[in-house]
Amino acid sequence: MAMEVANREPSFPARVVNFYQEVVAEMRKVTWPDRPQLKDTTIKIIIFVLFLGAVIAAIDLILQLILVQGVPSLFSRR
């Protein structure tokens, strides 16, 4: 009879240590942006967010004019 080799899972502390070592290894591979790249990207994101906010505000204003003022005037008896 052949003995079966039990595949035992490593203990919790061993898995935590292994996870930490893998995280450190992956973080060493990361290419971090330098200061000018970070500044440039931050400015672009701020401009995009402001632009998107203006577009949403314009759409809100247009829909408010149509739905709050335009539609009720269709059904009023003037």
Side-chain angles (χ1 to χ4, degrees):
M1 241 167 38
M3 293 188 81
E4 291 185 28
V5 177
N7 289 335
R8 293 188 51 176
E9 189 172 311
S11 66
F12 180 73
R15 288 184 298 174
V16 170
V17 169
N18 185 32
F19 174 76
Y20 178 74
Q21 290 172 347
E22 290 176 4
V23 168
V24 170
E26 288 297 319
M27 291 303 285
R28 286 191 179 129
K29 297 178 188 177
V30 173
T31 305
W32 297 99
D34 55 1
R35 197 132 180 99
Q37 287 175 331
L38 193 63
K39 185 178 177 182
D40 183 52
T41 305
T42 302
I43 290 170
K44 288 178 183 177
I45 290 172
I46 290 171
I47 290 171
F48 176 73
V49 167
L50 291 174
F51 173 74
L52 195 60
V55 168
I56 291 172
I59 291 171
D60 181 52
L61 182 64
I62 292 169
L63 288 175
Q64 181 179 2
L65 290 172
I66 293 170
L67 297 175
V68 174
Q69 296 175 357
V71 173
S73 68
L74 294 174
F75 298 106
S76 65
R77 295 183 181 188
R78 289 189 202 182

Coordinates of all heavy atoms in Angstrom, one line a residue:
M1 N 0.8 -1.2 0.0 CA 0.0 0.0 0.0 C 0.9 1.2 0.0 O 1.8 1.4 0.8 CB -0.8 0.0 1.3 CG -2.3 0.0 0.9 SD -3.5 -0.4 2.1 CE -3.3 0.2 3.6
A2 N 0.5 2.2 -0.9 CA 1.3 3.4 -0.9 C 0.7 4.4 0.1 O -0.5 4.5 0.3 CB 1.2 4.0 -2.3
M3 N 1.6 5.1 0.7 CA 1.2 6.1 1.7 C 0.9 7.4 1.0 O 1.7 7.8 0.2 CB 2.3 6.3 2.8 CG 2.5 5.1 3.7 SD 3.6 5.5 5.0 CE 2.4 6.3 6.1
E4 N -0.2 7.9 1.4 CA -0.6 9.2 0.8 C 0.1 10.3 1.5 O 0.1 10.3 2.8 CB -2.1 9.4 0.9 CG -2.9 8.4 0.0 CD -4.4 8.8 0.0 OE1 -4.7 9.9 0.2 OE2 -5.2 7.9 -0.2
V5 N 0.6 11.2 0.8 CA 1.3 12.4 1.4 C 0.3 13.4 1.6 O -0.4 13.9 0.6 CB 2.4 12.9 0.5 CG1 3.1 14.1 1.1 CG2 3.5 11.8 0.2
A6 N 0.1 13.8 2.8 CA -0.9 14.8 3.1 C -0.4 16.2 2.7 O 0.7 16.6 3.1 CB -1.3 14.8 4.6
N7 N -1.2 16.9 1.9 CA -0.8 18.3 1.6 C -1.3 19.2 2.7 O -2.5 19.5 2.7 CB -1.5 18.7 0.2 CG -0.8 17.9 -0.9 OD1 0.3 17.5 -0.8 ND2 -1.5 17.8 -2.0
R8 N -0.5 19.6 3.5 CA -0.9 20.4 4.6 C -0.7 21.9 4.3 O 0.3 22.2 3.7 CB 0.0 20.1 5.9 CG -0.3 18.7 6.4 CD 0.3 18.4 7.7 NE 0.1 19.5 8.6 CZ 0.4 19.6 9.9 NH1 1.1 18.6 10.4 NH2 0.1 20.6 10.6
E9 N -1.7 22.6 4.6 CA -1.6 24.1 4.4 C -0.7 24.7 5.5 O -0.8 24.3 6.7 CB -3.0 24.6 4.5 CG -3.1 26.1 4.1 CD -4.5 26.5 4.0 OE1 -5.4 25.8 3.4 OE2 -4.8 27.6 4.6
P10 N 0.1 25.7 5.1 CA 1.0 26.3 6.1 C 0.2 27.0 7.2 O -1.0 27.3 7.0 CB 1.8 27.3 5.4 CG 1.5 27.1 3.9 CD 0.3 26.2 3.8
S11 N 0.7 27.2 8.3 CA 0.0 27.8 9.5 C -0.3 29.2 9.1 O 0.3 29.8 8.2 CB 0.8 27.7 10.7 OG 2.0 28.4 10.6
F12 N -1.2 29.8 9.9 CA -1.6 31.2 9.7 C -0.4 32.2 9.8 O -0.2 33.0 8.9 CB -2.7 31.6 10.7 CG -3.1 33.0 10.5 CD1 -3.9 33.4 9.4 CD2 -2.8 34.0 11.4 CE1 -4.3 34.7 9.2 CE2 -3.2 35.3 11.3 CZ -3.9 35.7 10.2
P13 N 0.5 32.1 10.8 CA 1.6 33.0 10.9 C 2.6 32.8 9.7 O 3.1 33.8 9.2 CB 2.3 32.6 12.2 CG 1.3 32.0 13.0 CD 0.4 31.3 12.1
A14 N 2.7 31.6 9.2 CA 3.6 31.4 8.0 C 3.0 32.0 6.8 O 3.7 32.6 6.0 CB 3.8 29.9 7.8
R15 N 1.7 32.0 6.7 CA 1.0 32.6 5.5 C 1.1 34.1 5.6 O 1.3 34.8 4.6 CB -0.4 32.2 5.4 CG -0.6 30.7 5.0 CD -2.0 30.4 4.8 NE -2.7 30.5 6.2 CZ -4.0 30.4 6.4 NH1 -4.8 30.1 5.4 NH2 -4.5 30.5 7.6
V16 N 1.0 34.7 6.8 CA 1.1 36.1 7.0 C 2.5 36.6 6.6 O 2.7 37.6 5.9 CB 0.8 36.6 8.4 CG1 1.1 38.0 8.7 CG2 -0.7 36.3 8.7
V17 N 3.6 35.9 7.0 CA 4.9 36.2 6.7 C 5.2 36.1 5.2 O 5.8 37.0 4.6 CB 5.9 35.3 7.5 CG1 7.3 35.5 7.0 CG2 5.8 35.6 9.0
N18 N 4.6 35.0 4.6 CA 4.8 34.9 3.2 C 4.1 36.0 2.4 O 4.7 36.5 1.4 CB 4.2 33.5 2.7 CG 4.4 33.2 1.3 OD1 5.4 33.6 0.7 ND2 3.5 32.5 0.7
F19 N 2.9 36.4 2.8 CA 2.2 37.5 2.2 C 3.0 38.8 2.3 O 3.1 39.5 1.3 CB 0.8 37.6 2.9 CG 0.0 38.8 2.3 CD1 -0.6 38.8 1.1 CD2 -0.1 40.0 3.1 CE1 -1.3 39.9 0.6 CE2 -0.8 41.1 2.6 CZ -1.4 41.0 1.4
Y20 N 3.5 39.1 3.5 CA 4.3 40.3 3.7 C 5.5 40.3 2.8 O 5.8 41.3 2.1 CB 4.7 40.4 5.1 CG 5.6 41.6 5.4 CD1 5.0 42.9 5.4 CD2 6.9 41.5 5.6 CE1 5.8 44.0 5.6 CE2 7.7 42.6 5.8 CZ 7.2 43.9 5.8 OH 7.9 45.0 6.0
Q21 N 6.2 39.2 2.6 CA 7.4 39.1 1.8 C 7.0 39.3 0.3 O 7.7 40.0 -0.4 CB 8.1 37.7 2.0 CG 8.8 37.6 3.3 CD 9.3 36.2 3.6 OE1 8.9 35.2 2.9 NE2 10.1 36.0 4.6
E22 N 5.9 38.8 -0.1 CA 5.4 39.0 -1.5 C 5.1 40.4 -1.7 O 5.3 41.0 -2.8 CB 4.2 38.1 -1.8 CG 4.6 36.6 -1.9 CD 3.4 35.7 -2.1 OE1 2.3 36.2 -2.3 OE2 3.6 34.5 -2.1
V23 N 4.4 41.1 -0.7 CA 4.1 42.5 -0.9 C 5.3 43.3 -1.0 O 5.4 44.2 -1.9 CB 3.2 43.0 0.3 CG1 3.1 44.5 0.3 CG2 1.9 42.3 0.3
V24 N 6.3 43.1 -0.2 CA 7.6 43.8 -0.3 C 8.3 43.6 -1.6 O 8.7 44.6 -2.3 CB 8.5 43.4 0.9 CG1 9.9 44.0 0.7 CG2 8.0 43.9 2.2
A25 N 8.2 42.4 -2.1 CA 8.8 42.1 -3.4 C 8.1 42.8 -4.5 O 8.8 43.4 -5.5 CB 8.8 40.6 -3.7
E26 N 6.8 42.9 -4.5 CA 6.0 43.6 -5.5 C 6.2 45.1 -5.4 O 6.3 45.8 -6.4 CB 4.5 43.3 -5.4 CG 4.2 41.9 -5.9 CD 4.5 41.6 -7.3 OE1 4.2 42.5 -8.2 OE2 5.0 40.5 -7.7
M27 N 6.3 45.6 -4.2 CA 6.5 47.1 -4.1 C 7.9 47.5 -4.6 O 8.0 48.7 -5.0 CB 6.3 47.5 -2.6 CG 4.9 47.3 -2.1 SD 3.7 48.3 -3.0 CE 4.1 49.9 -2.5
R28 N 8.8 46.6 -4.6 CA 10.1 47.0 -5.1 C 10.1 47.1 -6.7 O 10.9 47.8 -7.3 CB 11.2 45.9 -4.7 CG 11.6 46.1 -3.3 CD 12.8 45.2 -3.0 NE 13.1 45.4 -1.5 CZ 13.3 44.4 -0.7 NH1 13.2 43.1 -1.1 NH2 13.6 44.7 0.5
K29 N 9.1 46.5 -7.3 CA 8.9 46.5 -8.7 C 8.2 47.8 -9.2 O 8.2 48.1 -10.4 CB 8.2 45.3 -9.2 CG 8.9 44.0 -9.0 CD 8.0 42.8 -9.5 CE 8.5 41.5 -9.1 NZ 7.6 40.4 -9.5
V30 N 7.5 48.5 -8.3 CA 6.7 49.6 -8.6 C 7.6 50.8 -9.1 O 8.6 51.1 -8.5 CB 5.8 50.1 -7.4 CG1 5.1 51.3 -7.7 CG2 4.9 49.0 -7.1
T31 N 7.2 51.4 -10.1 CA 7.9 52.6 -10.6 C 7.1 53.8 -10.1 O 5.9 54.1 -10.6 CB 7.9 52.7 -12.2 OG1 8.5 51.5 -12.6 CG2 8.7 53.8 -12.6
W32 N 7.6 54.6 -9.2 CA 6.9 55.7 -8.6 C 7.2 56.9 -9.4 O 8.2 57.1 -9.9 CB 7.4 55.9 -7.2 CG 7.1 54.8 -6.3 CD1 8.0 53.8 -5.9 CD2 5.8 54.4 -5.7 NE1 7.3 52.9 -5.1 CE2 6.0 53.3 -4.9 CE3 4.6 55.1 -5.7 CZ2 5.0 52.7 -4.2 CZ3 3.6 54.5 -5.0 CH2 3.8 53.3 -4.3
P33 N 6.1 57.8 -9.6 CA 6.3 59.0 -10.3 C 7.2 60.0 -9.6 O 7.2 60.1 -8.4 CB 4.9 59.5 -10.5 CG 4.1 59.0 -9.3 CD 4.7 57.7 -9.0
D34 N 7.9 60.8 -10.4 CA 8.7 61.9 -9.8 C 7.8 63.1 -9.5 O 6.6 63.1 -9.9 CB 9.9 62.2 -10.6 CG 9.6 62.6 -12.0 OD1 8.4 62.6 -12.4 OD2 10.5 62.9 -12.8
R35 N 8.3 64.1 -8.9 CA 7.5 65.3 -8.5 C 6.9 66.0 -9.7 O 5.7 66.3 -9.6 CB 8.4 66.3 -7.7 CG 7.6 67.3 -6.9 CD 8.2 67.3 -5.5 NE 7.6 68.2 -4.6 CZ 6.8 67.8 -3.7 NH1 6.3 66.6 -3.7 NH2 6.3 68.6 -2.8
P36 N 7.6 66.3 -10.8 CA 6.9 66.9 -11.9 C 5.8 66.1 -12.5 O 4.7 66.7 -12.9 CB 8.0 67.1 -13.0 CG 9.3 67.1 -12.2 CD 9.0 66.2 -11.0
Q37 N 5.9 64.8 -12.6 CA 4.9 64.0 -13.1 C 3.7 64.0 -12.2 O 2.5 64.1 -12.6 CB 5.3 62.5 -13.3 CG 6.3 62.2 -14.4 CD 6.8 60.8 -14.4 OE1 6.9 60.2 -13.3 NE2 7.1 60.3 -15.6
L38 N 3.9 64.0 -10.9 CA 2.8 64.0 -9.9 C 2.1 65.3 -10.0 O 0.9 65.3 -10.0 CB 3.4 63.8 -8.5 CG 2.5 63.5 -7.4 CD1 1.8 62.2 -7.6 CD2 3.3 63.4 -6.1
K39 N 2.8 66.4 -10.1 CA 2.2 67.8 -10.2 C 1.4 67.9 -11.4 O 0.3 68.4 -11.4 CB 3.3 68.8 -10.1 CG 2.8 70.2 -10.1 CD 3.9 71.2 -10.0 CE 3.5 72.6 -10.0 NZ 4.5 73.6 -10.0
D40 N 1.9 67.4 -12.6 CA 1.2 67.5 -13.8 C -0.1 66.7 -13.8 O -1.1 67.2 -14.2 CB 2.2 67.0 -15.0 CG 1.5 67.1 -16.3 OD1 1.1 68.3 -16.7 OD2 1.5 66.1 -17.0
T41 N 0.0 65.5 -13.3 CA -1.2 64.6 -13.3 C -2.2 65.2 -12.3 O -3.4 65.2 -12.6 CB -0.8 63.2 -12.8 OG1 0.3 62.7 -13.7 CG2 -1.9 62.3 -12.9
T42 N -1.8 65.7 -11.2 CA -2.7 66.3 -10.2 C -3.5 67.5 -10.8 O -4.7 67.6 -10.7 CB -2.0 66.8 -8.9 OG1 -1.3 65.6 -8.4 CG2 -2.9 67.3 -7.9
I43 N -2.8 68.4 -11.5 CA -3.4 69.5 -12.2 C -4.4 69.0 -13.2 O -5.5 69.6 -13.3 CB -2.3 70.4 -12.8 CG1 -1.6 71.1 -11.7 CG2 -3.0 71.5 -13.7 CD1 -0.3 71.9 -12.2
K44 N -4.0 68.0 -14.0 CA -5.0 67.5 -15.0 C -6.2 66.9 -14.4 O -7.3 67.1 -14.9 CB -4.3 66.4 -15.9 CG -3.2 67.0 -16.8 CD -2.6 65.9 -17.6 CE -1.5 66.5 -18.5 NZ -0.7 65.4 -19.2
I45 N -6.1 66.2 -13.3 CA -7.2 65.6 -12.6 C -8.1 66.7 -12.0 O -9.4 66.6 -12.1 CB -6.8 64.6 -11.5 CG1 -6.2 63.4 -12.2 CG2 -7.9 64.2 -10.6 CD1 -5.5 62.4 -11.2
I46 N -7.5 67.7 -11.4 CA -8.3 68.8 -10.9 C -9.1 69.5 -12.0 O -10.3 69.8 -11.8 CB -7.5 69.8 -10.1 CG1 -7.0 69.1 -8.8 CG2 -8.2 71.1 -9.8 CD1 -5.9 69.9 -8.0
I47 N -8.5 69.8 -13.1 CA -9.2 70.4 -14.2 C -10.3 69.5 -14.8 O -11.4 70.0 -15.0 CB -8.2 70.8 -15.4 CG1 -7.2 71.9 -14.9 CG2 -8.9 71.1 -16.7 CD1 -6.1 72.2 -15.8
F48 N -10.1 68.2 -14.9 CA -11.1 67.3 -15.3 C -12.3 67.3 -14.4 O -13.4 67.3 -14.8 CB -10.5 65.9 -15.5 CG -11.5 64.9 -15.9 CD1 -12.0 64.9 -17.2 CD2 -12.0 64.0 -15.0 CE1 -13.0 63.9 -17.5 CE2 -12.9 63.0 -15.3 CZ -13.4 63.0 -16.6
V49 N -12.0 67.3 -13.1 CA -13.1 67.2 -12.1 C -13.9 68.5 -12.2 O -15.2 68.5 -12.1 CB -12.5 67.0 -10.7 CG1 -13.6 67.2 -9.6 CG2 -12.0 65.5 -10.6
L50 N -13.3 69.6 -12.3 CA -14.0 70.9 -12.4 C -14.8 70.9 -13.7 O -16.0 71.4 -13.7 CB -13.0 72.1 -12.4 CG -12.3 72.3 -11.0 CD1 -11.3 73.4 -11.1 CD2 -13.3 72.7 -9.9
F51 N -14.3 70.5 -14.8 CA -15.0 70.4 -16.0 C -16.2 69.5 -15.9 O -17.3 69.9 -16.3 CB -14.1 69.9 -17.2 CG -14.8 69.7 -18.5 CD1 -15.2 70.7 -19.3 CD2 -15.1 68.4 -18.9 CE1 -15.9 70.5 -20.5 CE2 -15.7 68.2 -20.1 CZ -16.1 69.2 -20.9
L52 N -16.0 68.3 -15.3 CA -17.1 67.4 -15.2 C -18.2 68.0 -14.3 O -19.4 67.8 -14.5 CB -16.6 66.1 -14.6 CG -17.5 64.9 -14.7 CD1 -17.9 64.6 -16.1 CD2 -16.9 63.7 -14.1
G53 N -17.8 68.7 -13.2 CA -18.8 69.4 -12.3 C -19.6 70.4 -13.1 O -20.8 70.6 -12.9
A54 N -18.9 71.2 -14.0 CA -19.6 72.2 -14.8 C -20.6 71.5 -15.7 O -21.7 72.0 -15.9 CB -18.6 73.0 -15.5
V55 N -20.2 70.4 -16.3 CA -21.1 69.7 -17.3 C -22.3 69.2 -16.5 O -23.5 69.4 -16.9 CB -20.4 68.6 -18.0 CG1 -21.3 67.7 -18.7 CG2 -19.3 69.1 -18.9
I56 N -22.1 68.6 -15.3 CA -23.2 68.1 -14.5 C -24.1 69.3 -14.1 O -25.4 69.1 -14.1 CB -22.7 67.3 -13.4 CG1 -22.1 66.0 -13.9 CG2 -23.8 67.0 -12.4 CD1 -21.4 65.2 -12.8
A57 N -23.5 70.4 -13.7 CA -24.3 71.5 -13.3 C -25.2 72.1 -14.4 O -26.3 72.4 -14.3 CB -23.4 72.6 -12.7
A58 N -24.6 72.1 -15.6 CA -25.3 72.6 -16.8 C -26.5 71.7 -17.1 O -27.6 72.1 -17.4 CB -24.4 72.7 -18.0
I59 N -26.2 70.4 -17.1 CA -27.3 69.4 -17.4 C -28.4 69.5 -16.3 O -29.6 69.5 -16.6 CB -26.7 67.9 -17.4 CG1 -25.9 67.8 -18.7 CG2 -27.9 66.9 -17.4 CD1 -25.1 66.5 -18.7
D60 N -28.0 69.7 -15.1 CA -29.0 69.9 -14.0 C -29.8 71.1 -14.2 O -31.1 71.1 -14.0 CB -28.3 69.9 -12.6 CG -29.2 70.1 -11.5 OD1 -30.2 69.3 -11.4 OD2 -29.0 71.0 -10.7
L61 N -29.2 72.2 -14.6 CA -29.9 73.4 -14.8 C -30.9 73.3 -16.0 O -32.1 73.7 -15.9 CB -28.9 74.6 -15.1 CG -29.5 76.0 -15.3 CD1 -30.2 76.4 -14.1 CD2 -28.5 76.9 -15.8
I62 N -30.5 72.7 -17.1 CA -31.3 72.5 -18.2 C -32.5 71.6 -17.9 O -33.7 71.9 -18.2 CB -30.5 71.9 -19.4 CG1 -29.5 72.9 -19.9 CG2 -31.5 71.4 -20.5 CD1 -28.5 72.3 -20.9
L63 N -32.3 70.5 -17.2 CA -33.4 69.6 -16.8 C -34.3 70.3 -15.8 O -35.5 70.0 -15.8 CB -32.8 68.3 -16.2 CG -32.2 67.3 -17.2 CD1 -31.5 66.1 -16.5 CD2 -33.2 66.9 -18.2
Q64 N -33.8 71.1 -14.9 CA -34.6 71.8 -14.0 C -35.5 72.8 -14.7 O -36.7 72.9 -14.4 CB -33.7 72.6 -13.0 CG -34.5 73.3 -11.9 CD -33.6 74.1 -10.9 OE1 -32.4 74.0 -11.1 NE2 -34.2 74.7 -10.0
L65 N -35.0 73.5 -15.7 CA -35.8 74.4 -16.5 C -36.9 73.6 -17.2 O -38.0 74.1 -17.3 CB -34.9 75.2 -17.5 CG -34.0 76.2 -16.8 CD1 -33.1 76.8 -17.9 CD2 -34.8 77.3 -16.2
I66 N -36.6 72.5 -17.8 CA -37.5 71.7 -18.5 C -38.6 71.1 -17.6 O -39.8 71.2 -17.8 CB -36.8 70.6 -19.4 CG1 -36.0 71.3 -20.5 CG2 -37.8 69.7 -20.0 CD1 -35.1 70.3 -21.2
L67 N -38.1 70.4 -16.6 CA -39.1 69.6 -15.8 C -39.8 70.4 -14.7 O -41.0 70.1 -14.4 CB -38.3 68.5 -15.1 CG -37.7 67.4 -16.0 CD1 -36.9 66.4 -15.3 CD2 -38.8 66.8 -16.9
V68 N -39.2 71.4 -14.1 CA -39.8 72.2 -13.1 C -40.7 73.3 -13.6 O -41.7 73.6 -13.1 CB -38.8 72.7 -12.0 CG1 -39.4 73.6 -11.0 CG2 -38.1 71.5 -11.4
Q69 N -40.2 74.0 -14.7 CA -40.9 75.1 -15.2 C -41.6 74.8 -16.5 O -42.7 75.3 -16.7 CB -39.9 76.3 -15.4 CG -39.3 76.8 -14.0 CD -38.3 77.8 -14.2 OE1 -37.9 78.2 -15.3 NE2 -37.8 78.3 -13.1
G70 N -41.0 74.0 -17.3 CA -41.6 73.8 -18.7 C -42.8 72.9 -18.7 O -43.8 73.2 -19.2
V71 N -42.7 71.7 -18.0 CA -43.7 70.7 -18.1 C -45.0 71.2 -17.3 O -46.1 71.1 -17.9 CB -43.2 69.4 -17.5 CG1 -44.4 68.4 -17.3 CG2 -42.2 68.8 -18.4
P72 N -44.9 71.8 -16.1 CA -46.1 72.3 -15.5 C -46.8 73.4 -16.3 O -48.0 73.5 -16.3 CB -45.6 72.9 -14.2 CG -44.4 72.1 -13.9 CD -43.8 71.9 -15.2
S73 N -46.1 74.2 -17.0 CA -46.7 75.2 -17.8 C -47.5 74.7 -19.0 O -48.4 75.3 -19.5 CB -45.7 76.2 -18.4 OG -44.8 75.6 -19.4
L74 N -47.2 73.4 -19.4 CA -48.1 72.8 -20.4 C -49.5 72.4 -19.9 O -50.4 72.4 -20.7 CB -47.4 71.5 -20.9 CG -46.0 71.7 -21.6 CD1 -45.4 70.3 -21.9 CD2 -46.2 72.4 -22.9
F75 N -49.6 72.2 -18.6 CA -50.9 71.8 -18.0 C -51.6 72.9 -17.3 O -52.6 72.6 -16.7 CB -50.6 70.6 -17.1 CG -50.0 69.4 -17.9 CD1 -48.7 69.0 -17.7 CD2 -50.8 68.6 -18.7 CE1 -48.2 68.0 -18.4 CE2 -50.3 67.6 -19.4 CZ -48.9 67.2 -19.3
S76 N -51.0 74.0 -17.2 CA -51.7 75.1 -16.5 C -52.7 75.8 -17.4 O -52.6 75.8 -18.6 CB -50.7 76.2 -16.0 OG -50.1 76.8 -17.1
R77 N -53.8 76.3 -16.8 CA -54.8 77.0 -17.5 C -54.6 78.5 -17.5 O -55.2 79.2 -16.7 CB -56.2 76.6 -16.9 CG -56.5 75.2 -17.0 CD -57.8 74.9 -16.5 NE -58.1 73.5 -16.6 CZ -59.3 73.0 -16.3 NH1 -60.3 73.7 -15.9 NH2 -59.4 71.7 -16.4
R78 N -53.9 79.0 -18.4 CA -53.7 80.4 -18.5 C -54.4 81.0 -19.6 O -54.6 80.5 -20.6 CB -52.2 80.7 -18.7 CG -51.4 80.4 -17.4 CD -50.0 81.0 -17.6 NE -49.1 80.3 -16.7 CZ -47.9 80.5 -16.6 NH1 -47.3 81.5 -17.4 NH2 -47.1 79.9 -15.8

